Amino acid sequence: MAHVVDELREEAEAAIAAMREAALRARTLHARAELMRHMLTTARKVMDKPRGEAVESVVREWMAAWHLDRAAWPHVARDMERLTQAFLDYAATPAQSADAALRSAIAGLDEALGREGTSIADQMAYRSQCAHGWWELVAPTPADLPGRKDRPMMPAPEPGRPFWDAGCADFCR
């Protein structure tokens, strides 16, 4: 029979492990959701432009926001273009078929990034100027991330506030 001190320590360790898992999952889901929210908002803003121009402007802005060189990431740029096209279609007509195409394009981009050893969530959290400050506390940006840039616009946690209140820059809302 375990003694109270050992039981409390074991319960605390189990709770901390569950918290770690929940925080990592929340960061992954939130980073993906934030990119998709931003993409839909952007698609709605540019949907009246000629399609090629709209896609190009969104992908150019996106790659700049993530500090990615298109020449170094052409395979990922293609999937970014496909996702942008799917968002434009969905913004124009949010039907089931457009939603299915959007889901397929999201999976395609995640697969392309997965071949690079990363994911949509990691790229959003590690590169985006619209990253939420709390994501950095859950999984800090690797110091050796290729093309890493400082992001002074990313809000830092404030003393006396829970870490999850550290959101994104105002211009990202």
Side-chain angles (χ1 to χ4, degrees), residues 36-138:
M36 302 316 154
R37 179 193 62 79
H38 182 74
M39 290 296 294
L40 183 56
T41 301
T42 303
R44 287 177 175 150
K45 286 180 188 174
V46 301
M47 62 191 276
D48 293 330
K49 291 183 178 183
R51 189 169 180 85
E53 181 183 327
V55 170
E56 180 56 32
S57 70
V58 171
V59 172
R60 188 179 336 104
E61 180 183 319
W62 185 1
M63 292 193 90
W66 279 15
H67 309 290
L68 294 176
D69 177 3
R70 192 178 201 141
W73 293 75
H75 50 297
V76 174
R78 283 189 300 274
D79 284 289
M80 291 171 120
E81 290 167 2
R82 182 173 166 238
L83 182 56
T84 301
Q85 291 168 356
F87 265 108
L88 287 168
D89 292 342
Y90 182 83
T93 308
Q96 285 303 114
S97 59
D99 183 73
L102 194 53
R103 290 172 188 272
S104 175
I106 291 168
L109 178 58
D110 237 350
E111 288 170 16
L113 289 168
R115 288 189 292 275
E116 298 296 320
T118 187
S119 66
I120 289 172
D122 282 348
Q123 292 304 295
M124 183 66 182
Y126 295 155
R127 295 184 178 281
S128 178
Q129 38 189 343
C130 290
H132 287 240
W134 73 268
W135 300 344
E136 189 72 13
L137 295 173
V138 173

